[in-house]
Amino acid sequence: MNLHAIKAIYVFELARTWRTLMQSIASPVISTSLYFIVFGSAIGSRMVEIEGVSYGAFIVPGLIMLSILTESIMNASFGIYMPKFSGTIYEVLSAPISAFEIVVGYVGAAATKSVILGLIILATARLFVDFSILHPFWMIGFLVLTSVAFSLLGFVIGVWADGWEKLQIVPMMIVTPLAFLGGSFYSISMLPELWQKITLFNPVVYLISGFRWSFYGISDVDVGVSLGATFGFVLVCLAAIWAIFRTGYKLKT
């Protein structure tokens, strides 16, 4: 394995984060803080507890997931799209680097940035609401696994996109609505029975439910199912990336 190549891509992508600190870190943290102020403090103080957890604390996992999902996609898609846009992708493809090493470099950097962002938001949430983490090991596990999964999705989107506007379509028009409707601000058990069944077709439900379980030991879906669904999503993304490099889709053509 060409560890020097992986390190070069990984370090380069992380360095871009520090050059765009306001956009990469400050902006999502400020946006999430506003959610905590409005929903956690202002509205949450007037709402009853959900399954024994105060509303402000209940939405902490969902808001972290909301940021992680969109930022993972954006980081990874921009990371691979920029070399395509500038033409430097051909230098990467002609270098003695395997497809696996390319993916590890770009996806690893995007996932690392998302994990760092998630931990910063977690620390920021403590300023607004009081919450506990019942299973810290599983919390980190779900955070890392979700960041990797959606960074893989972002890599696929970055290869597929042939314009800057297409980089925004999936995170803004698909992932964000799914996150809002996937239990970020409520438990799906509060919905009518028919809508509970419909909501189970939303893949984001399983991510948020598993992540919330790691905090409070409560979930809308069995944690084993959530973990299996996350691993399944990773496998689907890996299969798509394998097909991209196998056929050269929008990389070599």
Side-chain angles (χ1 to χ4, degrees):
M1 183 178 292
N2 192 340
L3 296 178
H4 292 289
I6 295 176
K7 180 182 178 181
I9 296 174
Y10 182 86
V11 171
F12 177 81
E13 286 298 306
L14 282 184
R16 181 165 53 81
T17 300
W18 312 128
R19 294 195 302 269
T20 58
L21 198 61
M22 289 298 296
Q23 178 183 356
S24 302
I25 301 295
S27 179
V29 170
I30 292 173
S31 299
T32 307
S33 298
L34 293 176
Y35 280 117
F36 284 124
I37 293 173
V38 175
F39 290 94
S41 301
I43 298 178
S45 60
R46 301 176 180 272
M47 295 187 64
V48 297
E49 295 181 345
I50 300 178
E51 300 187 43
V53 180
S54 67
Y55 184 74
F58 183 84
I59 65 174
V60 169
L63 288 177
I64 295 175
M65 278 286 112
L66 179 62
S67 297
I68 292 299
L69 300 184
T70 55
E71 290 301 315
S72 295
I73 294 176
M74 293 299 297
N75 288 329
S77 60
F78 184 85
I80 190 61
Y81 179 78
M82 194 60 190
K84 285 178 51 186
F85 179 77
S86 62
T88 56
I89 189 65
Y90 300 110
E91 298 177 5
V92 176
L93 295 175
S94 61
I97 312 173
S98 68
F100 176 77
E101 292 158 355
I102 293 173
V103 173
V104 169
Y106 282 108
V107 172
T112 300
K113 287 184 278 188
S114 296
V115 170
I116 293 173
L117 176 62
L119 295 176
I120 293 175
I121 293 176
L122 184 65
T124 305
R126 180 68 70 176
L127 301 175
F128 300 98
V129 294
D130 186 28
F131 61 89
S132 61
I133 302 177
L134 189 62
H135 305 289
F137 174 79
W138 284 106
M139 187 276 290
I140 295 295
F142 271 107
L143 182 64
V144 172
L145 190 57
T146 303
S147 298
V148 171
F150 277 78
S151 294
L152 289 169
L153 176 60
F155 188 92
V156 174
I157 294 171
V159 173
W160 162 77
D162 52 14
W164 295 102
E165 67 282 354
K166 285 190 175 181
L167 294 178
Q168 305 285 339
I169 291 177
V170 174
M172 292 296 102
M173 301 188 66
I174 298 178
V175 174
T176 299
L178 288 178
F180 273 91
L181 298 174
S184 295
F185 298 97
Y186 56 87
S187 170
I188 65 173
S189 61
M190 301 168 64
L191 300 174
E193 185 176 352
L194 175 61
W195 284 106
Q196 289 184 36
K197 296 179 179 179
I198 295 175
T199 303
L200 292 177
F201 288 97
N202 180 352
V204 177
V205 167
Y206 302 92
L207 304 176
I208 296 176
S209 176
F211 194 54
R212 182 172 285 130
W213 171 86
S214 69
F215 278 74
Y216 312 119
I218 59 175
S219 61
D220 294 316
V221 183
D222 184 81
V223 65
V225 176
S226 296
L227 197 59
T230 308
F231 274 112
F233 187 77
V234 170
L235 293 177
V236 170
C237 292
L238 287 175
I241 292 174
W242 176 84
I244 286 172
F245 281 98
R246 177 71 175 175
T247 61
Y249 174 75
K250 290 197 175 183
L251 287 179
K252 299 179 181 179
T253 58

